Amino acid sequence: MYKDYIKEIEERKVQGLHPKPIDGAELLSEIIGQIKDAGNEYREDSLKFFIYNTLPGTTPAAGVKAKFLKEIILGESVVAEITPAFAFELLSHMKGGPSIAVLLDLALGNDIDIARQAAAVLKTQVFLYDADTDRLKEAFKNENEIAKDILESYAKAEFFTKLPEVPEEIEVVTFIAGEGDISTDLLSPGNQAHSRSDRELHGKCMITPKAQEEIRTLQAQHPGKSVMLVAEKGTMGVGSSRMSGVNNVALWTGKQASPYVPFVNIAPIVGGTNGISPIFLTTVDVTGGIGIDLKNWVKKTDAEGNLVRDENGDPVLEEVYSVATGTVLTINTKTKKLYNGEQELIDISRALTPQKKEFIRAGGSYAIVFGKKIQTVAAKILGIEPTPVFAPSKEISNEGQGLTAVEKIFNRNAVGITPGKILHAGSDVRVEVNIVGSQDTTGLMTAQELEAMAATVISPIVDGAYQSGCHTASVWDKKAQANIPKLMKFMNDFGLITARDPKGEYHSMTDVIHKVLNDITVDEWAIIIGGDSHTRMSKGVAFGADSGTVALALATGEASMPIPESVKVTFKGEMKEHMDFRDVVHATQAQMLQQFGGENVFQGRIIEVHIGTLPADQAFTFTDWTAEMKAKASINISEDDTLIESLEIAKGRIQIMIDKGMDNSKQVLQGLINKADKRIAEIKSGEKPALTPDANAKYYAEVVIDLDAIVEPMIADPDVHNKDVSKRYTHDTIRALSHYGGDKKVDLGFVGSCMVHKGDLKIVSQMLKNLEAQQGKVEFHAPLVVAAPTYNIIDELKEEGDWDLLQKYSGFEFNDLLPKSTARTEYENMMYLERPGCNLCMGNQEKAAKGDTVMATSTRLFQGRVVEDAERKKGESLLASTPVVVLSAILGRIPSIDEYKAAVEGINLTKFVPSVKELTA
């Protein structure tokens, strides 16, 4: 095994890479054998691998490493280069799991000198679980003085108070990573998802090699300063909630977390003219970094205070201060201001709240979360109150003010708050999490995070958790074959319901994770955390999160965040017969921007949408899109009968999962059905009606969408040729169908991703039937790729006859027995029925041809995601409703409004009727 490892190292050298960190027990055991053999030719390198290149936590290698260090401390093995004192230091950097077990063995052992040394190390550790604290509790009961000493230290939180203070001044040098919104695809491209768990290799894909070189040059020119990545005239980190994006930024601009753990860096500093995307900012907190809202460009006003607009009607921006690449700035953590020399630029208090400063001091938010927990447990064992050390939770309670829906949910799920206190937006809260989702291209990183925080089993307070296989569904290539079975086994063992059965006893599901989470959420009061920005359920409140926050939710059943402000969205008027609900979703974005002078009031807030009559399946189209609206999350307010209908659909789909054999020994899925039955009974009896906000709740803003104003299909356009590059790829350019004049060429159509539901697939079949009746035949002038979100939708379509129609018109149909082993690079002008999953939307396997114009139901129009640029032509992904996409593929161009109306005549599009009831309590 060692020789194979050396061979791999030589292969990595060619790519400019260091040796891959060791996580396997067998390889490390071989290395230890070579260390013990004084004359071994590989001994010197083996020592380096053991000390500097072994992953910590609960990896199999960490267990072997901890055991050997214990032997050295006890004198059972002698290694000249690793003294007992150095062995203790190495244990202190191993985070938890086997290292804690070894330290407890030593601290509670008979050798008092060794016990004291072990206790000194334990006092710095926070990743302890019940089994660890139970050992301390038992020893304390038996009057063990060392155990008492350790517990007293924990109760005082000395693991935190003895850390160095945050420096008063942090000098940074700026690097403009891009103009306009910077998506996490730029920092961690979706097409490189397979390498995310290999941090050094994945780091090579951040931005461009040229940008990486420029960052290194800045670091050489400014030693001792941190490079701050900046989104000029935009928001940093929009789109996917990628830990890998922050990991890459930290790898290039942060500092090493431990000298004994390779490629795990912390403390990245990022800035954006319009701040940092909420989901990205959470990930920055995980790594103890700083995210700054720079506000260095503002809307220009005239002498009367009116906005100055350009020829397109967009506000003109003017620069308040420069952050051009190479600008040296100072972050003062005491005054909480940003300076250029002596000049004060802006207040940055929101980036340096007491809680965030704790994250910075501790090297990340996990250490604080676990630290608070261990302090509470220790104080309880000792029968004392914990010493007040941490910044108190921010509790905002406004007398006489009602609660929004999110405030109600957070109040119900909050832990550790003042008893009886009602909290409003702005409060900082720990909450219990009900449902957790892990997706497959971030799952390996989540597994790494779970190992790093020494977690071995899912928290018992989580109602249900699911590991998907949808992001790697399109192509069962060598990368997927190597990664996915390993991931599924880890997660299945951990306690999640998994899409793929490690034992091979049920058919592998590649269902889109958001759809599954939407089905297994059976209480609209639930809090959901998922490893993807589109974790936005139409029941409960769901937050897209990085892989680390998902790991934390799985391990602890908790998450920490401020209660967000809400924006209330209601509807008036009536949908036109030829419109689809997707058009309402796009119009919501457009009308909101129009109503608020171009200000995106949704950004960073909860969209509380009073959907009323639309069941969860269809309403998901709205909540899903709220990620593109840059909202923190979305909550659907439903009528009682609609919610019951949605819960019945969810029950049926959970039962299908049970029938397939997907439930585990704890009968998690059956438990969810039982919870749904209980919730339905509560609604029907009137004991607990569907969740609604209070009539006197306070909102940041209220938006009323006029359905009468939506007269033609609405398309989200990446606007790739806008002179102002900050206006490209923003999701804010929403155009009516007639804008294109019926002659814009379309190279490929895509119906799929999480934005479509069963009704969309029925629309495809009905349109094809309709067009054949009108024209005598259906001829595709561009390829049409169709990917259902879930297998159960396909099963239902088969029962209802629609799948037969789709098969009739298709030139390709997926075969699970013979899945594709290579990604498709060329398309014919026909319809492809692809396997359920993300497909083109993910951009990591299937792609459109470079430079194509794609019309898609997807959510992603970022540069390079669905389609990359060609040398002579920019690729563009326009987003529209299913009927527009289908007709565009058949015509090979965007249709005129008359062509569109004729094609959808008599077809049952996704309709929406605003509720006539006042949905408030």
Side-chain angles (χ1 to χ4, degrees), residues 129-130 373 433-438 446 450 453-467 490-498 520 529 550-558 664-666 668:
Y129 288 84
D130 291 351
K373 186 177 179 182
V433 175
N434 306 95
I435 301 290
V436 185
S438 169
T446 298
L450 288 167
M453 61 180 72
T456 56
V457 66
I458 192 170
S459 168
I461 66 174
V462 174
D463 291 337
Y466 178 73
Q467 171 62 58
F490 180 96
M491 290 301 189
N492 201 282
D493 291 345
F494 199 83
L496 282 74
I497 304 299
T498 52
I520 69 172
I529 297 287
V550 170
L552 197 65
L554 288 170
T556 67
E558 291 185 9
N664 58 20
S665 59
K666 294 187 177 177
V668 164

Side-chain angles (χ1 to χ4, degrees), residues 165-170 330-336:
E165 294 281 353
V166 176
E168 184 174 328
E169 290 190 340
I170 301 170
T330 303
I331 296 168
N332 190 303
T333 62
K334 193 171 183 180
T335 63
K336 299 184 180 180

Side-chain angles (χ1 to χ4, degrees), residues 381-395:
I381 292 170
L382 293 168
I384 61 173
E385 286 297 314
T387 306
V389 166
F390 298 104
S393 291
K394 193 175 178 184
E395 296 185 349

Side-chain angles (χ1 to χ4, degrees), residues 323-629:
V323 292
T325 293
T327 305
V328 175
L329 304 172
T330 303
I331 296 168
N332 190 303
T333 62
K334 193 171 183 180
T335 63
K336 299 184 180 180
K337 303 278 176 67
L338 184 67
Y339 296 88
N340 186 334
E342 297 297 314
Q343 182 191 0
E344 180 186 316
L345 300 177
I346 192 169
D347 182 282
I348 54 172
S349 300
R350 289 180 66 183
L352 296 167
T353 63
Q355 288 80 13
K356 287 181 185 290
K357 283 183 74 174
E358 287 176 347
F359 299 159
I360 297 165
R361 186 179 179 187
S365 59
Y366 296 166
I368 298 299
V369 172
F370 276 86
K372 287 178 178 178
K373 186 177 179 182
I374 197 71
Q375 185 192 29
T376 303
V377 169
K380 188 176 180 182
I381 292 170
L382 293 168
I384 61 173
E385 286 297 314
T387 306
V389 166
F390 298 104
S393 291
K394 193 175 178 184
E395 296 185 349
I396 295 174
S397 187
N398 302 315
E399 196 173 339
Q401 181 180 312
L403 297 173
T404 63
V406 74
E407 288 168 342
K408 286 189 174 184
I409 293 173
F410 270 61
N411 273 281
R412 190 193 79 161
N413 286 47
V415 290
I417 63 171
T418 305
K421 195 164 189 179
I422 301 298
L423 303 182
H424 288 94
S427 300
D428 216 284
V429 197
R430 274 167 57 215
V431 288
E432 290 188 354
V433 175
N434 306 95
I435 301 290
V436 185
S438 169
Q439 56 101 328
D440 38 326
T441 51
T442 60
L444 287 168
M445 291 175 60
T446 298
Q448 283 183 341
E449 298 285 347
L450 288 167
E451 288 176 331
M453 61 180 72
T456 56
V457 66
I458 192 170
S459 168
I461 66 174
V462 174
D463 291 337
Y466 178 73
Q467 171 62 58
S468 82
C470 57
H471 289 71
T472 51
S474 305
V475 183
W476 191 235
D477 56 16
K478 287 181 180 178
K479 293 166 186 171
Q481 290 169 36
N483 290 334
I484 302 307
K486 183 170 70 173
L487 169 65
M488 294 295 169
K489 184 179 187 316
F490 180 96
M491 290 301 189
N492 201 282
D493 291 345
F494 199 83
L496 282 74
I497 304 299
T498 52
R500 182 179 287 271
D501 183 6
K503 300 184 185 74
E505 291 173 6
Y506 59 80
H507 180 274
S508 297
M509 284 172 58
T510 54
D511 292 357
V512 176
I513 181 172
H514 326 300
K515 291 294 191 181
V516 178
L517 293 183
N518 206 38
D519 286 338
I520 69 172
T521 301
V522 293
D523 185 354
E524 82 281 21
W525 290 78
I527 291 179
I528 305 103
I529 297 287
D532 193 290
S533 59
H534 289 100
T535 304
R536 304 198 171 226
M537 307 303 94
S538 43
K539 300 186 292 289
V541 62
F543 298 96
D546 59 275
S547 52
T549 303
V550 170
L552 197 65
L554 288 170
T556 67
E558 291 185 9
S560 297
M561 66 185 91
I563 302 178
E565 294 177 298
S566 293
V567 175
K568 183 179 181 180
V569 174
T570 55
F571 303 89
K572 68 176 183 179
E574 190 176 337
M575 269 187 80
K576 302 288 182 288
E577 195 61 31
H578 60 281
M579 302 312 309
D580 184 82
F581 183 62
R582 177 71 183 252
D583 301 313
V584 175
V585 175
H586 285 185
T588 298
Q589 179 100 332
Q591 290 190 25
M592 174 276 295
L593 290 169
Q594 190 176 25
Q595 288 174 34
F596 291 90
E599 179 195 351
N600 183 358
V601 297
F602 292 151
Q603 183 163 339
R605 300 184 176 92
I606 300 291
I607 300 178
E608 184 186 284
V609 55
H610 289 233
I611 210 83
T613 62
L614 204 59
D617 259 23
Q618 292 94 308
F620 188 79
T621 306
F622 189 101
T623 42
D624 206 21
W625 180 259
T626 62
E628 277 33 270
M629 297 179 189

Side-chain angles (χ1 to χ4, degrees), residues 8 93 233 249 319 696 735 902:
E8 182 191 75
H93 287 260
K233 295 187 185 175
V249 176
E319 191 176 52
N696 59 338
R735 289 174 169 153

Side-chain angles (χ1 to χ4, degrees), residues 50 61-71 91 94 98-99 102:
F50 178 82
V64 174
K65 183 171 182 175
K67 184 183 174 187
F68 185 46
L69 292 172
K70 182 183 180 184
E71 288 177 15
L91 283 168
M94 289 180 66
S99 63
V102 162

Side-chain angles (χ1 to χ4, degrees), residues 205-418:
C205 71
M206 188 184 86
I207 314 178
T208 60
K210 181 173 179 284
Q212 294 164 17
E213 199 165 318
E214 288 173 6
I215 289 169
R216 286 285 180 254
T217 302
L218 283 172
Q219 290 167 330
Q221 292 170 347
H222 301 273
K225 298 180 180 66
S226 295
V227 173
M228 176 170 74
L229 255 59
V230 175
E232 179 78 317
K233 295 187 185 175
T235 303
M236 173 63 80
V238 301
S240 302
S241 43
R242 292 210 183 134
M243 189 81 198
S244 54
V246 169
N247 283 346
N248 280 352
V249 176
L251 192 67
W252 285 99
T253 68
K255 57 187 180 184
Q256 193 172 358
S258 161
Y260 310 114
V261 182
F263 313 119
V264 176
N265 283 18
I266 58 172
I269 300 175
V270 293
T273 293
N274 301 328
I276 318 298
S277 170
I279 50 179
F280 195 69
L281 190 55
T282 301
T283 319
V284 172
D285 290 343
V286 166
T287 52
I290 303 173
I292 300 175
D293 188 356
L294 293 168
K295 297 179 180 157
N296 58 310
W297 289 84
V298 298
K299 292 171 186 171
K300 188 175 182 179
T301 55
D302 58 22
E304 285 75 44
N306 300 313
L307 281 178
V308 177
R309 298 182 181 274
D310 61 19
E311 65 272 15
N312 296 321
D314 296 321
V316 172
L317 300 177
E318 58 183 355
E319 191 176 52
V320 181
Y321 63 92
S322 174
V323 292
T325 293
T327 305
V328 175
L329 304 172
T330 303
I331 296 168
N332 190 303
T333 62
K334 193 171 183 180
T335 63
K336 299 184 180 180
K337 303 278 176 67
L338 184 67
Y339 296 88
N340 186 334
E342 297 297 314
Q343 182 191 0
E344 180 186 316
L345 300 177
I346 192 169
D347 182 282
I348 54 172
S349 300
R350 289 180 66 183
L352 296 167
T353 63
Q355 288 80 13
K356 287 181 185 290
K357 283 183 74 174
E358 287 176 347
F359 299 159
I360 297 165
R361 186 179 179 187
S365 59
Y366 296 166
I368 298 299
V369 172
F370 276 86
K372 287 178 178 178
K373 186 177 179 182
I374 197 71
Q375 185 192 29
T376 303
V377 169
K380 188 176 180 182
I381 292 170
L382 293 168
I384 61 173
E385 286 297 314
T387 306
V389 166
F390 298 104
S393 291
K394 193 175 178 184
E395 296 185 349
I396 295 174
S397 187
N398 302 315
E399 196 173 339
Q401 181 180 312
L403 297 173
T404 63
V406 74
E407 288 168 342
K408 286 189 174 184
I409 293 173
F410 270 61
N411 273 281
R412 190 193 79 161
N413 286 47
V415 290
I417 63 171
T418 305

